[in-house]
Amino acid sequence: GENVEQHPSTLSVQEGDSAVIKCTYSDSASNYFPWYKQELGKGPQLIIDIRSNVGEKKDQRIAVTLNKTAKHFSLHITETQPEDSAVYFCAATLPPWTSGGYNKLIFGAGTRLAVHP
Amino acid sequence: DAGVTQSPTHLIKTRGQQVTLRCSPKSGHDTVSWYQQALGQGPQFIFQYYEEEERQRGNFPDRFSGHQFPNYSSELNVNALLLGDSALYLCASSQRWGYAGGLETQYFGPGTRLLVL
């Protein structure tokens, strides 16, 4: 089945710096890659997602890139702010028509991002 | 527009007991997925419900069961609780499979934190 690995597990940056989180997936059939932000005591919140037919997507200070050949995707946060501090999860999903599909999300282990003022 | 809601927020049970968790999906969504998130880990897929039927299941024992009601709300039941069942249980809702070609975004609720003593 699909497996998602995420690095680093912890990331500490100074306010204003950029942060990059990387994920790799195992099944080349995966076609949808969302990123979630989880603050303490809350559920994961979708912050950006990318489909397999797109190489890059940007939303203000957040961008995601996808390399289908290498089977990896990355989250880029620019001009980080203290409120960006949280745990970030990448995820991947197979199309419903494949074995093990039905759009269940397979998550990475998470990256704890700390932004210091 | 209310997002995904879950109840209760916290729950304490003892080994061997049974528990029922509840979820109301986001307005316009008819598919509900349940995930288990152990401390410090990413969410793990339990199962998904659509049209009141379990459509797909993760690697969880039969002690975990669920139900979806005609109004699309859902319940997760866990029997014969074990200490290892202590976790944050997350409900995610989405539009039906195929609505967006298998790329339906999943939105998470705040979760129910279950502690088994």
Side-chain angles (χ1 to χ4, degrees), chain A residues 31 36 38 51 96 100-101 103, chain B residues 35 37 48 56 97 103 106:
Chain A
N31 67 336
Y36 289 86
Q38 187 173 28
R51 271 61 173 175
N103 72 318
Chain B
Y35 293 80
Q37 185 178 24
Q48 184 177 86
Q56 190 173 37
W97 166 72
L103 305 175
Q106 293 189 27

Side-chain angles (χ1 to χ4, degrees), chain B residues 9-10 36 51 55 62 64 98 106 109:
Chain B
T9 56
H10 295 81
Q36 180 195 65
E51 289 187 335
R55 297 291 173 172
D62 292 344
F64 290 77
Q106 293 189 27

Side-chain angles (χ1 to χ4, degrees), chain A residues 31-32 36 38 41-46 49 51 89 93-97 99-110, chain B residues 35 37 40-45 48 50 55-58 88 90 94 97 100-111:
Chain A
N31 67 336
Y32 173 60
Y36 289 86
Q38 187 173 28
K42 297 184 178 180
Q45 177 190 8
L46 180 73
D49 57 14
R51 271 61 173 175
F89 291 98
T93 186
L94 293 163
W97 51 85
S99 174
Y102 242 106
N103 72 318
K104 68 177 182 181
L105 293 171
I106 305 300
F107 283 86
Chain B
Y35 293 80
Q37 185 178 24
Q41 297 182 21
Q44 300 290 316
F45 177 80
Q48 184 177 86
Y50 169 65
R55 297 291 173 172
Q56 190 173 37
R57 189 178 187 91
L88 180 68
L90 295 162
S94 60
W97 166 72
L103 305 175
E104 298 78 11
T105 299
Q106 293 189 27
Y107 295 89
F108 283 83

